[in-house]
Amino acid sequence: MSETRFDPSQADGRWQRAWDEAQTFRADDASERPRCYVLEMFPYPSGRIHIGHVRNYTMGDVIARYKRMRGHEVLHPMGWDAFGMPAENAAIEQKVHPRSWTYQNIANMKAQLKRLGFALDWSRELATCDPAYYGHEQALFIDLYEAGLVYRKESAVNWDPVDQTVLANEQVIDGKGWRSGAPVEKRKLSQWFLKITAFAQELLDGLDKLDGWPEKVRVMQENWIGKSQGLQFGFTLSDGSKLEVYTTRPDTIFGASFVAVAPDHPVAQAVAENDPQAAAFIELCKQGGTTAAELETAEKLGYDTGLKAIHPFTNDRLPVYIANFVLMEYGTGAIMAVPGHDQRDFDFASKYGLPIRRVIAPSAAEAGAPLSEAYTGDGVCVNSDFLDTMPTDVAKREVIGRAEQHRWGEGRTVWRLRDWGVSRQRYWGTPIPFIHCEKCGVVAVPKDQLPVVLPEDVDISQPGNPLVRHPTWKHVHCPSCGGAAVRETDTLDTFVDSSWYFLRFASQPADKPFDPEVVAKWLPVDQYIGGIEHAILHLLYARFWTRALARIGKLEVTEPFASLFTQGMVTHETYSREEHGREVFYSPGDVLRTATGATLKDGSPLTIGRVIKMSKSKKNTVDPDEIVARYGADAVRWFMLSDSPPERDLPWSEAGIEGCWRFVQRLWRLFGQHDAGASGEDKALARKTHQAIAAVAEDIEALAFNKAVARIYELTSAIEKAPPSAERNAAIRTALLLAAPMMPHLAEEGWAALGQQGLVADASWPETDPALLVEDEVTIAIQHKGKLRDTLTAPKGASTEALEALALGSEKVQRSLGGAEVRKVIVVPDRLVNIVT
Ligand code: ANZ
Ligand code: ZN
């Protein structure tokens, strides 16, 4: 056997079939074992698995397999986040139906995942575009509506005036429609919202208890929720009216040099009625993107309304501007602007020649220091009348106190978090299950009529929402009065689909979304793994849905994910050259790379670019199928775990994967030596073996896969060097078990070759012998004149006399003594010998 090579092209498929047939990874809801729910973020069926998926799913797979070996009932499911824009784009470009495109991709990607040997419970597979899934989502949406957590409101959308359609944010490129190229306008439409703001405090407080989450992600969520405490107060305007503003920095009030309102603020609207220039400016502001990020980076623009606002302390008359950087949806939609201490105000004041005053300084002595940009930190008040020398916190309280006392303002908490707009004017999504009746208004579709199924016969080739154009689909009878009515044609944001899929994985009865008792058995997910790009929206929405369902009594869990891990990316350098003034990229497969440079196969030179995330556009990708076909699933899986810590980026390298392939073969040869004889005893190897068992377990539990891999390398080398013995045979068997979660096909093949019963996937993690875990040798430090002179190994528990003799026998120590008389020897057992002369 040792002469043969491990052949993944034979073995991989054989074991994958064996696991399927035995339903090895099917999770049992009724099991009495301790449970473990391992979940990787489910993929969008774009067409092919990419290498990032492979890394992500390999990590989850190691945990799932390891936990099974430790006696857990493991739930490790997989499904498809199958609604969304790309299917519609493909439909337009390739003239295929979004459904067939999506299901074809699912079939391809499922086959790819199978070839990697993931320990998944495929019996729970789901696709969010299946009415059997989204029908339940519609029911939950109606439940939330009935509980007052869903409502409708007018809100701005991106409108493409040429294509006459609403655009998703991703379809707005540099303020223009992606297809028409026309400047995008903002339009008001009645849209559906989920009341996530009703959970703001809960979602914030909950973060404190998520100690299994990366600190970085918790901070990102905290900032997104954005609780801020400040002052809301009224300026009296020159026309006698009041204007409410909100500030988080009332301590800077003496630095206010102008006031600004949002373009859609009533004050701006009133001004525009009699001022065509103001109206034109407001129109101008409507162009461009609607996201906060876009507003943040856009050039600051303003229009002076001619109105003045009276400063509550100084009675100064501050000009009132309409400004594009003020958002109607935040605070009161109006601000006091303090250019010295807010960068947006600073940019604006610089542009329009408004005063920039310092009213905060790191210390009182720096009151006169000039400002070349806004100073946004804390400090003490300067140039601020009665606030002077007060630290930021004290000054904030002082101003709020005075405002409340004189009744021109009060302390207020404001949240950055907005309610979640879930309406999408698209076809390929979950239909929002409501009906509009002229008589009865908005009526929920009765639950016994769910699911509201998407029509199949749609015309996707034209812009706009095909559900609106469909000749019959939307025309229905009102469930309440029976009169003629129309269906809602908006579909749900796909983030809704991914906000509860982990519940449906845990329990999927046909007649309801899930059984809360079964969900309670599995949830929270013990280990969730995914990309950092989902740190905010997906994770926050999923936390919100879980809490919302708990609040309306559908669930007992409140936090869906006990532990979260965000893995690094797989990276590779890029190869390119200029062709006709454009940078053209070449894929690694077409490139000859030497130590010094890179060329095409015809010898023409290429530029080597930075090592960056693998992406199609830079052609620096490797195809998982190709490498699995070449090296086998186990070598690929092993590579995904080796070298880099899992949270860091992993540079792909040909040498790396070849090294993994060789290691697979090394282990295989070792398995072949299992019965090489059992004469002699090898206590040292037994010790190493048991220490490896403990260490690999600890590393996997800590998700330090690269360290676990290194341990297995070490153990393998030690076994290779050791002469035949019973301990060596045991060590070989142990190495196989330790590697099994990572290289499951090789492990099964070896398990069978060793004549073991059953599947290694069902085997237990090896036991450790505590006696073998402790070291039997210790390192002793020898000191003379307070300095370390030598270190020696000694048997653990050696006597004082023995250690003294050993120390004095050291050549280095003798040199240090230089013949001086030894006056005293102090021995700390197992640690130290100190020689005094
Ligand atoms: C005066 C001031 C002085 C401000 C200063 C900041 C720094 P956070 O902390 O993110 O909650 N603001 C208030 N409403 C706004 C709106 N609708 N659109 C744009 N900006 C708005 O931000 C609160 C601060 O953002 C507020 O505090 C206000 O500017 C501005 F040295 O008021 B500040
Ligand atoms: Zn009606």
Side-chain angles (χ1 to χ4, degrees), residues 366-394:
E366 289 155 280
L371 288 160
S372 58
E373 56 179 1
Y375 172 74
T376 57
D378 287 358
V380 295
C381 290
V382 294
N383 309 316
S384 293
D385 198 333
F386 59 86
L387 295 177
D388 277 355
T389 72
M390 281 187 201
T392 301
D393 279 357
V394 179

Side-chain angles (χ1 to χ4, degrees), residues 256-482:
S257 58
F258 64 100
V259 167
V261 300
D264 33 2
H265 191 282
V267 165
Q269 299 291 328
V271 169
E273 268 177 33
N274 308 310
D275 180 347
Q277 269 180 288
F281 177 75
I282 292 169
E283 265 320 296
L284 179 74
C285 293
K286 280 194 191 155
Q287 289 165 14
T290 50
T291 65
E294 280 166 319
L295 291 173
E296 197 74 41
T297 50
E299 193 196 351
K300 310 279 171 292
L301 295 175
Y303 179 83
D304 187 350
T305 62
L307 288 167
K308 305 289 176 203
I310 315 296
H311 192 287
F313 289 122
T314 64
N315 287 327
D316 281 351
R317 291 163 61 83
L318 310 176
V320 178
Y321 280 80
I322 303 169
N324 68 343
F325 68 91
V326 183
L327 306 167
M328 192 57 217
E329 293 79 28
Y330 189 66
T332 63
I335 63 164
M336 74 162 186
V338 184
H341 305 284
D342 182 300
Q343 193 57 41
R344 296 163 299 182
D345 302 350
F346 186 96
D347 297 342
F348 191 93
S350 309
K351 177 160 177 173
Y352 293 102
L354 296 158
I356 301 176
R357 276 192 298 273
R358 180 191 276 280
V359 290
I360 304 287
S363 72
E366 289 155 280
L371 288 160
S372 58
E373 56 179 1
Y375 172 74
T376 57
D378 287 358
V380 295
C381 290
V382 294
N383 309 316
S384 293
D385 198 333
F386 59 86
L387 295 177
D388 277 355
T389 72
M390 281 187 201
T392 301
D393 279 357
V394 179
K396 280 182 182 173
R397 262 180 271 130
E398 177 66 26
V399 173
I400 293 174
R402 288 194 187 214
E404 289 181 345
Q405 191 188 348
H406 297 106
R407 297 176 185 283
W408 49 266
E410 56 186 15
R412 191 183 148 191
T413 302
V414 165
W415 303 83
R416 180 160 296 278
L417 187 67
R418 297 273 80 94
D419 276 340
W420 174 15
V422 292
S423 278
R424 296 293 179 273
Q425 291 73 27
R426 318 245 34 113
Y427 167 67
W428 197 232
T430 300
I432 295 180
F434 282 86
I435 288 167
H436 301 275
C437 168
E438 275 196 11
K439 256 207 283 177
C440 316
V442 175
V443 185
V445 173
K447 289 235 174 118
D448 60 7
Q449 291 171 30
L450 296 180
V452 176
V453 179
L454 284 172
E456 282 290 313
D457 52 335
V458 284
D459 171 14
I460 318 250
S461 63
Q462 293 171 53
N465 182 353
L467 294 178
V468 178
R469 285 197 307 268
H470 193 280
T472 55
W473 184 77
K474 69 178 174 187
H475 299 291
V476 288
H477 294 291
C478 168
S480 161
C481 73

Side-chain angles (χ1 to χ4, degrees), residues 750-765:
W751 196 245
L754 262 51
Q756 304 282 341
Q757 290 302 302
L759 292 166
V760 77
D762 289 323
S764 294
W765 190 253

Side-chain angles (χ1 to χ4, degrees), residues 228-288:
S228 87
Q229 257 133 345
L231 169 69
Q232 180 169 328
F233 71 95
F235 277 110
T236 305
L237 297 187
S238 44
D239 65 2
S241 65
K242 279 260 183 244
L243 175 64
E244 291 282 320
V245 300
Y246 174 73
T247 174
T248 46
R249 295 294 303 268
D251 56 310
T252 65
I253 194 163
F254 284 94
S257 58
F258 64 100
V259 167
V261 300
D264 33 2
H265 191 282
V267 165
Q269 299 291 328
V271 169
E273 268 177 33
N274 308 310
D275 180 347
Q277 269 180 288
F281 177 75
I282 292 169
E283 265 320 296
L284 179 74
C285 293
K286 280 194 191 155
Q287 289 165 14

Side-chain angles (χ1 to χ4, degrees), residues 74 101 121 147 183 217 237 240 244 258 290 320 361 454 496 632 641 668 710 722 791 794:
V74 172
W101 183 82
D121 179 353
V217 176
L237 297 187
E244 291 282 320
F258 64 100
T290 50
V320 178
L454 284 172
V496 174
L641 303 164
W668 180 244
T791 52

